[in-house]
Amino acid sequence: MTQSTGPEPALAAGEDPRRYAQILTAVYDATMTGGKSPARPREVIGDSWRRLQTLGIDPELGNPAETQMDVSDLELTRRESGLFDILDDLARGLESVVQDGDNILVVADRHGRVLWRSGSTAVLDRADNLGFVEGANWAEDSVGTNAIGTALVSGRAVQIFSAEHYVRSHHSWTCAGAPIRDPRTGQVLGAIDVSGPAKTVHPTTIALVDAVARLAESQLRELHRSTLDRLRSVAAPMLARLRSPALAVDANGWVAAVESVALRNRILLPEDLATGRFWLPTLGVCDFEPLPGGWLVRPTSTMDSGVAEVGSTRVRIDLRNSQKPRIEVRSEVGEWTHEPTPRHAEILYLLATHRQGRTAAQMAADLFGDDGRAITVRAEMSRLRKHLAGIISTQPYRLDESATVEVITPSDMSRLLPHSSAPAIRAARG
């Protein structure tokens, strides 16, 4: 049998859910005990069951070794999932399915971890009893066949009804889920799911969930295009002044602008990229300089000998105006500015005054007086580095060693970031 690539509902239109659930229960019991089955499960279900039996997952318990992540880890995972910016679009697209109070909407990351869920108190309480909560792992190899985990494994939208769930305690539920892919890379970012009591099953739910997932991917594509446009607006004047081969690319290598280089959509960037000189398969040895949200890439084999060496980047952190802190980055080819958030202004000041770098624990103590809040620091640093790729390095966190850094503070140090309650900032005011 050829596997369908489109959304396949668990229940055919017009079929009696109760009768179909009875058939599925008979198929499930026979399959799990090795008896003669009255029918074969759908291909997507049969494939999932075989995977789980091979792994030795207990259909009565699932994988009890899995634990729920704590609050700080959950927040970091949410921020780094790539799904945060489309959360509202997902909720609006499936509002009609959730508003009746019988279903919950769930968004999970690419590993099957539940990041967000919404729904009525009654259905959320029922989900709590199954451990279907934020931070829980609903990957297929953790809790058996389910719309989140199985959609992630199969790479397509699935609907799971009643005894199609591998773990028996889930048989009173139905769920429909679809994977969401990053349009920049084609990689799966996570999954969206609608779950509820088995009686709420409807053959059109899977088509709606799949359509909302595709719309979310379109929104991600638009967000990426807007990011490239912003990068292009900064980089284009620099490239025009260079009059030598160069490209402006985002952090994933997508090209925003070119000068005297063959036009291409994307280049493969080295891992752990930093300001300096690297070899690229298509361009040879290139010098990299940071741009807001990306990189200026300059092939060295065709550069004029009079161009300054990489390492002449100058970073100026201006904290005189507490309402509008600024960071200015200048190099031989141009300059650009960024206005950091109040928290990011604190971090930039600390990095500028500790050029040797700060670990996540040290930064947590500086910002919160609690070195145990390293997870929160990592989340903030991840967001800051998206704006300042190449300016901030890791392990430990530090400003690029090759850059010249200047910090401009108020003439009266007691006015340094006056709204900050960070212990290190309060000490600096003294």
Side-chain angles (χ1 to χ4, degrees), residues 9-149:
L11 189 72
E15 187 153 14
D16 182 1
R18 287 178 298 180
R19 179 178 176 278
Y20 189 49
Q22 292 173 348
I23 296 173
L24 290 176
T25 299
V27 172
Y28 176 88
D29 290 339
T31 302
M32 298 304 158
T33 60
K36 184 178 180 180
S37 177
R40 289 194 304 174
R42 291 185 296 139
E43 186 172 359
V44 66
I45 303 301
D47 289 345
S48 174
W49 287 358
R50 284 188 289 274
R51 285 192 295 268
L52 296 165
Q53 287 175 326
T54 300
L55 292 172
I57 304 298
D58 188 345
E60 302 298 330
L61 298 175
N63 187 350
E66 293 295 334
T67 57
Q68 181 180 341
M69 67 172 64
D70 62 32
V71 174
S72 58
D73 285 339
L74 174 61
E75 182 60 26
L76 177 61
T77 304
R78 284 170 169 171
R79 293 288 179 178
E80 296 187 340
S81 67
L83 299 168
F84 190 84
D85 291 334
I86 57 170
L87 187 61
D88 289 343
D89 298 286
L90 296 173
R92 282 194 299 270
L94 291 169
E95 183 178 11
S96 61
V97 183
V98 179
Q99 65 184 2
D100 61 7
D102 289 329
N103 293 287
I104 61 172
L105 168 65
V106 175
V107 179
D109 71 3
R110 60 191 179 91
H111 301 296
R113 290 281 186 180
V114 176
L115 301 183
W116 296 278
R117 63 175 197 165
S118 62
S120 69
T121 301
V123 73
L124 289 175
D125 286 344
R126 292 190 62 178
D128 289 346
N129 294 331
L130 289 178
F132 197 20
V133 297
E134 292 176 343
N137 186 354
W138 276 69
E140 192 181 70
D141 58 5
S142 176
V143 296
T145 309
N146 72 93
I148 291 173

Side-chain angles (χ1 to χ4, degrees), residues 363-382:
M363 189 71 77
D366 291 339
L367 294 173
F368 309 110
D370 179 3
D371 61 8
R373 296 185 63 179
I375 293 293
T376 303
V377 168
R378 292 191 186 102
E380 288 293 345
M381 295 303 300
S382 177

Side-chain angles (χ1 to χ4, degrees), residues 211-224:
V212 170
R214 303 291 79 75
L215 287 172
E217 291 173 353
S218 296
Q219 179 64 15
L220 285 172
R221 194 173 292 109
E222 285 300 314
L223 289 171
H224 180 225

Side-chain angles (χ1 to χ4, degrees), residues 290 292 313-321 324-330 335-341 344-345 347-349 351-352 384 387-392 399-400 403-408:
T313 301
R314 297 183 294 280
V315 178
R316 186 184 194 197
I317 301 169
D318 190 342
L319 303 177
R320 288 174 295 183
N321 184 344
K324 201 172 183 180
R326 288 165 59 90
I327 177 170
E328 303 172 359
V329 180
R330 300 179 181 180
E335 63 182 73
W336 51 271
T337 62
H338 172 68
E339 294 183 6
T341 65
H344 290 172
I347 292 172
L348 288 168
Y349 175 79
L351 294 179
L384 179 57
H387 297 291
L388 303 177
I391 300 298
I392 298 176
L399 293 172
D400 178 48
T404 300
V405 178
E406 176 187 9
V407 183
I408 305 177

Side-chain angles (χ1 to χ4, degrees), residues 44 66 188 200 286 331 389:
V44 66
E66 293 295 334
V188 173
T200 65
C286 297
S331 69

